[in-house]
Amino acid sequence: MDAIMIEKAANAIADKHRLSILLAASRQSAIQCCEITELTGLSQPTVSHHIKILVDSGVLIYDKTGRTVQLTINKEMMKYLSSFFDKLS
């Protein structure tokens, strides 16, 4: 397992706002940035910052179509993390 990937993903979800974004995305097939702003109460620039961290870590997938941005959970990364944590137990 790539320790750097695990570290980046774990760091990304360690923040309470990013964790709430991840949990919201898990309840839907995709989530839009404007929904995240409403969910967290954070400003749009702050939401963009958190989204960048989640996408750069591989936890979320960013898909832009026209002016609409959809975020989905990277299921492969979640399987990778799950496998890592299974090996610890």
Side-chain angles (χ1 to χ4, degrees):
M1 303 225 154
D2 186 356
I4 294 172
M5 282 178 53
I6 299 295
E7 180 183 356
K8 283 181 80 173
N11 184 50
I13 60 177
D15 178 84
K16 69 178 182 179
H17 296 296
R18 291 191 291 267
L19 182 58
S20 69
I21 293 167
L22 184 62
L23 292 171
S26 73
R27 291 187 289 271
Q28 305 176 42
S29 59
I31 191 167
Q32 295 181 359
C33 292
C34 60
E35 293 176 78
I36 296 170
T37 303
E38 293 170 12
L39 169 77
T40 61
L42 298 171
S43 67
Q44 189 277 324
T46 302
V47 167
S48 293
H49 170 74
H50 287 302
I51 288 171
K52 181 179 181 346
I53 291 170
L54 289 165
V55 170
D56 288 350
S57 71
V59 173
L60 289 181
I61 298 170
Y62 180 96
D63 181 38
K64 184 173 182 179
T65 306
R67 298 179 76 170
T68 305
V69 173
Q70 300 260 344
L71 298 160
T72 55
I73 291 182
N74 183 344
K75 294 186 190 290
E76 291 303 313
M77 176 58 87
M78 293 299 113
K79 288 177 187 173
Y80 188 76
L81 289 173
S82 178
S83 173
F84 170 75
F85 288 116
D86 276 346
K87 289 182 181 181
L88 294 179
S89 59

